[in-house]
Amino acid sequence: MAVNSFREDEQQAQVSKWKTLTRLYRYLLAYKSRIAVVLLIMLATISINMINPLIVEQAVNVHIANRDMKGLLLLGLAAVVLNLIMVAGVKARMIMMAKLSNQVLLTIREELYVHIQKLSFSFFDSRPTGKILARIIGDVNSLKDMLSDSVTTLIPDFLTVIGVITIMMAKNVKLALAALLTLPFMAAGMFVIQRVSHKAWQVYRKKSSNISAFVHEEMSGMRIVQSFRAEQESRDNFDVLLKEHRQSWNKSVRCADLFGSLIELTWGAGGFLLYYIGIKVIGVGEIGIGTFMAFSTYLAMFWSPIRNLANFYNKIVTNLAGAERIFDILDTEPEIRDKSGVGELPDIQGSVEFDRVSFAYSDEPETKVLKDVSFQIRPGETIALVGPTGAGKTTIVNLISRFYNVTEGHIRVDGYDLGDVSIRSLRRQMGVMTQDNFLFSGTVKDNIRYGRLDATDEEIVAAAKAVNAHGFIMQLEKGYDTELSERGQSLSVGQRQLLAFARTMVSNPRILILDEATSSIDTHTEILVQKGIQALLKGRTSFVIAHRLSTIKNADRIFVINHGRIEEAGSHEELLAAKGQYYELYQAQFRSLTSA
């Protein structure tokens, strides 16, 4: 299976910017009423802002020219009141949009998290956890300012530009055209810059993701790093990633800075053309002083929102890469999902049938992990799977749990094809315990109850007693209410395994899967566990994978798996008498134990 490590940039499909933007803005449309209120407030503030130059023109051309001090004072008072209203409105819209954008981010993050939970194991197998975290946290956070500014900057500044152009054209077409002559050059420059800048920011996001993946991996494996004195090597790798990250950031920022330089250049040229044409071509005599002052103000009012719009466009180019990475995951279809019209799997007895089952990973379809496997298991049977590493043992139990879909053939439980029943109704009746005994932060009780969230305290204690975990739990500081650290690092490996076993047992499954479930338990503890689970295994169909053959001697049948096929099947005594592969495995282990 192809794996993307922290050393490699992630690959994703190229999608048009417009499609990504429209999809992103659909989240805002879910809050139409609140956006409408913000827009009304903005309309009022923009209108007041538009009136200000007209107030200046009125003051100069009328009241000051006619020495009307009373009228000038009244006009000034009206201007103060209007601008106080405008300031209050701007503050209110900023607060409202900040809350709204945070709500949208929450919605996107929840949707992303829920979708990731539905994705198949192959998704998680093919990339580091840190790269997934980077999308859930960093990429989602990058959208906040863009979403907020879409309403608080884009709309008011766009309306301001339209309003200013309208007023300028109405007052003097020649002066307005003079001020706008540089716009086509600015648009062409922005088009070129954004193409380069967007690619640079895409690279930056990927480099940030690489760092997240590396840090997560190193922190998770810090015991190994320190045990093998690999701190310097780890630091060297981190320095390489930081250098790539810094270089991608510098390139992206340099591209982004070109937007500001372009705006300043075209603004200055537009101002020069306004004064040059106004003075040299039209003539000062044809334009009133107040009108010229108003035009100068409108020129600033025109280019200021243009600069804001350019900055917003720059922000879109900067953060659109984050949105693309989010939608890339949301567009990833789960390989394992219910097909249309599936039914619920009723309470089962536990029979399992493999009918000519073959399996290959989706990215390596030519390499079959299982090849034409067939068998039938009766309810309540205990089946042991043995064989060399990579033979296909874990693949068999993963297919029963439907963590992967079969490539060929059929798997049936109580006669129901797994593809015809819902995944949830299947897994509700299964208990799976692997050699990776993952424990969550929380209490001991919480971790056991994870097997069945409605389990009572009495059922939790009963499950713990059944696997002989109750004794060591009661010796902890607060017993079942003891808080565990991340991954249960405060417990021994054996204790973590016993808790994981109790968690599986409390779910009361009809089909039980134990994949190297006792590999980390010492011999004394294993004896206690084996005694405890015998009663729980009774009446349940169980699949047990174990390298220690002594632990599966009492299985009803033993399947010897090799090269993706069942090469031997029978009881412990039958397989020893056949003197085949199982006999050789057993003798090899026996000799190693006696020589030790």
Side-chain angles (χ1 to χ4, degrees):
M1 178 179 294
V3 178
N4 176 266
S5 71
F6 65 80
R7 297 179 178 86
E8 304 169 78
D9 293 342
E10 295 172 282
Q11 301 299 317
Q12 61 188 66
Q14 294 298 316
V15 182
S16 70
K17 302 180 187 67
W18 178 249
K19 182 178 179 181
T20 303
L21 275 176
T22 53
R23 184 174 178 181
L24 184 61
Y25 287 146
R26 288 195 198 108
Y27 289 95
L28 281 175
L29 294 179
Y31 303 92
K32 296 185 185 72
S33 57
R34 279 195 263 178
I35 291 178
V37 173
V38 173
L39 291 178
L40 287 174
I41 295 174
M42 285 195 299
L43 183 61
T45 56
I46 291 171
S47 299
I48 294 172
N49 200 34
M50 291 289 193
I51 293 173
N52 281 331
L54 299 178
I55 292 175
V56 174
E57 182 182 27
Q58 178 74 8
V60 173
N61 286 352
V62 179
H63 297 293
I64 293 178
N66 296 325
R67 300 181 182 279
D68 181 9
M69 297 306 296
K70 182 178 180 181
L72 184 62
L73 288 174
L74 290 175
L75 186 64
L77 180 62
V80 170
V81 173
L82 286 174
N83 281 275
L84 286 175
I85 294 174
M86 182 181 70
V87 170
V90 169
K91 185 72 173 177
R93 85 182 187 199
M94 291 176 63
I95 293 174
M96 292 180 67
M97 277 309 302
K99 292 181 178 179
L100 181 57
S101 59
N102 283 330
Q103 184 61 48
V104 171
L105 290 188
L106 178 62
T107 300
I108 294 175
R109 185 173 280 121
E110 286 181 340
E111 184 177 325
L112 183 61
Y113 182 76
V114 169
H115 182 75
I116 287 175
Q117 285 185 310
K118 298 177 183 177
L119 294 179
S120 313
F121 280 7
S122 57
F123 173 84
F124 301 96
D125 293 341
S126 62
R127 69 202 70 204
T129 303
K131 292 195 176 185
I132 302 174
L133 293 176
R135 301 203 189 195
I136 297 175
I137 300 173
D139 291 336
V140 173
N141 286 342
S142 71
L143 304 179
K144 180 178 181 180
D145 290 340
M146 188 174 76
L147 289 170
S148 178
D149 291 351
S150 296
V151 177
T152 58
T153 297
L154 177 62
I155 295 177
D157 285 336
F158 181 75
L159 293 177
T160 299
V161 168
I162 298 300
V164 168
I165 291 176
T166 302
I167 294 174
M168 290 171 70
M169 286 291 188
K171 297 191 75 62
N172 193 303
V173 175
K174 292 180 180 179
L175 278 182
L177 291 176
L180 303 178
L181 276 176
T182 57
L183 278 182
F185 299 99
M186 182 198 72
M190 289 183 65
F191 176 77
V192 174
I193 294 171
Q194 68 86 21
R195 290 180 66 88
V196 178
S197 182
H198 181 60
K199 291 180 180 179
W201 284 111
Q202 284 181 321
V203 173
Y204 167 72
R205 288 287 170 197
K206 292 175 182 179
K207 298 303 181 185
S208 298
S209 183
N210 291 346
I211 288 181
S212 296
F214 177 80
V215 171
H216 181 272
E217 183 176 298
E218 291 299 299
M219 295 302 103
S220 299
M222 188 54 67
R223 281 180 170 81
I224 303 301
V225 172
Q226 293 183 357
S227 297
F228 287 90
R229 306 174 307 285
E231 291 91 345
Q232 186 59 48
E233 181 182 357
S234 177
R235 179 179 176 179
D236 292 342
N237 287 332
F238 189 54
D239 287 344
V240 171
L241 293 176
L242 283 180
K243 182 179 179 181
E244 292 177 352
H245 184 262
R246 183 179 67 252
Q247 290 173 342
S248 66
W249 166 259
N250 290 338
K251 181 178 179 180
S252 301
V253 170
R254 281 195 294 268
C255 291
D257 287 345
L258 293 176
F259 281 100
S261 301
L262 178 65
I263 296 300
E264 296 297 333
L265 181 62
T266 50
W267 186 346
F272 171 78
L273 290 174
L274 170 69
Y275 291 111
Y276 180 83
I277 293 175
I279 296 172
K280 294 292 186 180
V281 179
I282 301 176
V284 180
E286 295 187 22
I287 306 173
I289 298 298
T291 302
F292 217 104
M293 291 178 64
F295 245 92
S296 299
T297 304
Y298 278 124
L299 182 65
M301 287 180 63
F302 173 78
W303 280 104
S304 181
I306 286 291
R307 180 174 56 189
N308 293 339
L309 289 173
N311 289 334
F312 174 70
Y313 186 61
N314 188 18
K315 193 171 292 183
I316 288 179
V317 172
T318 301
N319 297 317
L320 200 60
E324 289 171 343
R325 285 162 52 82
I326 292 168
F327 294 141
D328 179 60
I329 286 188
L330 289 175
D331 290 338
T332 300
E333 294 291 341
E335 292 181 15
I336 312 300
R337 57 180 175 176
D338 294 333
K339 64 183 182 182
S340 178
V342 297
E344 293 292 302
L345 182 65
D347 291 344
I348 62 174
Q349 296 299 311
S351 69
V352 178
E353 178 188 2
F354 270 51
D355 183 8
R356 302 181 68 85
V357 170
S358 295
F359 173 76
Y361 290 105
S362 57
D363 57 345
E364 298 179 7
E366 69 285 350
T367 305
K368 289 187 177 181
V369 181
L370 290 183
K371 305 167 187 175
D372 197 29
V373 174
S374 296
F375 59 77
Q376 289 187 337
I377 309 300
R378 296 182 297 274
E381 270 196 292
T382 297
I383 305 299
L385 305 178
V386 301
T389 300
K393 304 184 297 297
T394 299
T395 301
I396 288 176
V397 295
N398 281 339
L399 291 176
I400 297 173
S401 306
R402 209 181 163 201
F403 291 138
Y404 299 94
N405 283 328
V406 297
T407 305
E408 299 173 13
H410 299 275
I411 301 177
R412 301 181 183 92
V413 172
D414 276 21
Y416 292 89
D417 192 295
L418 296 191
D420 296 332
V421 297
S422 71
I423 297 172
R424 189 173 184 85
S425 65
L426 168 68
R427 293 178 184 167
R428 177 178 57 84
Q429 303 187 66
M430 299 189 67
V432 181
M433 182 176 173
T434 68
Q435 51 192 319
D436 180 19
N437 304 305
F438 192 94
L439 297 179
F440 297 92
S441 299
T443 65
V444 170
K445 186 188 299 181
D446 292 337
N447 271 276
I448 298 177
R449 183 176 277 125
Y450 204 83
R452 182 161 59 86
L453 298 180
D454 60 351
T456 64
D457 289 355
E458 291 75 17
E459 290 172 324
I460 290 172
V461 172
K465 286 182 177 179
V467 297
N468 289 285
H470 179 74
F472 90 81
I473 292 174
M474 295 307 296
Q475 293 176 4
L476 299 176
E477 182 181 2
K478 296 182 180 179
Y480 285 86
D481 293 319
T482 301
E483 289 283 342
L484 299 180
S485 58
E486 185 179 5
R487 301 182 69 92
Q489 295 296 333
S490 55
L491 302 178
S492 70
V493 174
Q495 289 172 332
R496 292 199 298 269
Q497 206 147 19
L498 289 174
L499 284 188
F501 209 96
R503 178 172 60 196
T504 302
M505 290 301 100
V506 81
S507 65
N508 193 27
R510 299 306 306 163
I511 297 177
L512 187 63
I513 293 174
L514 309 179
D515 187 353
E516 293 292 343
T518 60
S519 60
S520 299
I521 299 178
D522 60 78
T523 304
H524 174 71
T525 304
E526 183 180 348
I527 293 173
L528 295 177
V529 171
Q530 291 294 345
K531 289 181 179 179
I533 67 175
Q534 288 306 313
L536 293 170
L537 291 178
K538 188 176 181 179
R540 293 184 175 86
T541 304
S542 304
F543 292 84
V544 181
I545 299 175
H547 283 106
R548 272 190 273 179
L549 302 185
S550 60
T551 64
I552 46 90
K553 290 168 57 176
N554 296 325
D556 295 307
R557 280 188 286 169
I558 299 171
F559 292 169
V560 179
I561 315 296
N562 199 11
H563 302 300
R565 300 179 186 275
I566 299 178
E567 299 197 345
E568 291 183 349
S571 67
H572 174 70
E573 291 77 12
E574 291 171 344
L575 293 179
L576 286 181
K579 294 192 175 181
Q581 291 188 44
Y582 182 79
Y583 176 82
E584 293 297 330
L585 288 171
Y586 190 80
Q587 290 298 318
Q589 285 198 11
F590 180 76
R591 284 194 295 270
S592 66
L593 289 174
T594 54
S595 62

